[in-house]
């Protein structure tokens, strides 16, 4: 028979190994389009060598959506604005569609763009101290 301490230690080790106790979980479900799925890679927004936000592109319900998550480490220690959009790439030019913008919002969904038949990527920008901004983007999906 196992002792209660050994059982508790084994349970804690199991939880740690599957990642249930690491970090903050957040849902990635497009508002109004639960069937949308991520397409392409996750892009990253970096500032002074550190990743401060992630950007993803989702497709579903006839649209592409930009999604941005500002990382806890940046969100908890800075005041910022975050924006995102779907960039349509045509003839080497970039045209923004279906974006969103907010102040001090950790999770941001773009409005969605009817661009499923275009070459697109999701782009995100986050303001940094001093008034500038940094951007990141996903891979191009055609």
């Amino acid at each position: 028979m196992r002792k209660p301490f050994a059982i508790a230690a084994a349970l804690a080790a199991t939880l740690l190994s599957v990642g249930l106790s690491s970090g903050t979980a957040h849902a990635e479900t497009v508002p109004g389009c639960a069937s949308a799925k991520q397409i392409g890679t996750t892009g990253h927004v970096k500032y002074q060598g550190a990743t401060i936000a992630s950007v993803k592109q989702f497709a579903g319900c006839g649209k592409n959506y930009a999604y941005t998550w500002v990382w806890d480490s940046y969100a908890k220690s800075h005041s910022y604005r975050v924006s995102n959009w779907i960039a349509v790439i045509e003839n080497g030019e970039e045209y923004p569609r279906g974006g969103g913008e907010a102040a001090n919002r950790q999770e941001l969904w773009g409005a969605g763009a009817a661009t499923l038949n275009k070459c697109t990527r999701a782009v995100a920008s986050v303001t940094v101290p001093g008034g500038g901004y940094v951007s990141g983007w996903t891979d191009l999906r055609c």
Side-chain angles (χ1 to χ4, degrees), residues 39-117:
I39 59 173
T41 61
T42 299
H44 297 96
V45 180
K46 296 187 178 223
Y47 175 63
Q48 295 182 338
T51 300
I52 64 169
S54 300
V55 58
K56 299 178 181 186
Q57 181 175 195
F58 286 73
C61 301
K63 295 182 179 181
N64 293 106
Y65 301 87
Y67 172 79
T68 307
W69 176 262
V70 178
W71 287 27
D72 290 345
S73 56
Y74 192 79
K76 291 179 179 179
S77 61
H78 294 83
S79 180
Y80 61 92
R81 292 193 68 73
V82 59
S83 58
N84 64 21
W85 60 92
I86 295 297
V88 175
I89 312 300
E90 292 179 344
N91 301 318
E93 298 290 324
E94 183 175 308
Y95 304 95
R97 302 284 187 266
E101 183 177 14
N104 301 313
R105 190 163 171 189
Q106 198 164 13
E107 180 180 56
L108 179 67
W109 284 100
T115 56
L116 292 177
N117 62 342

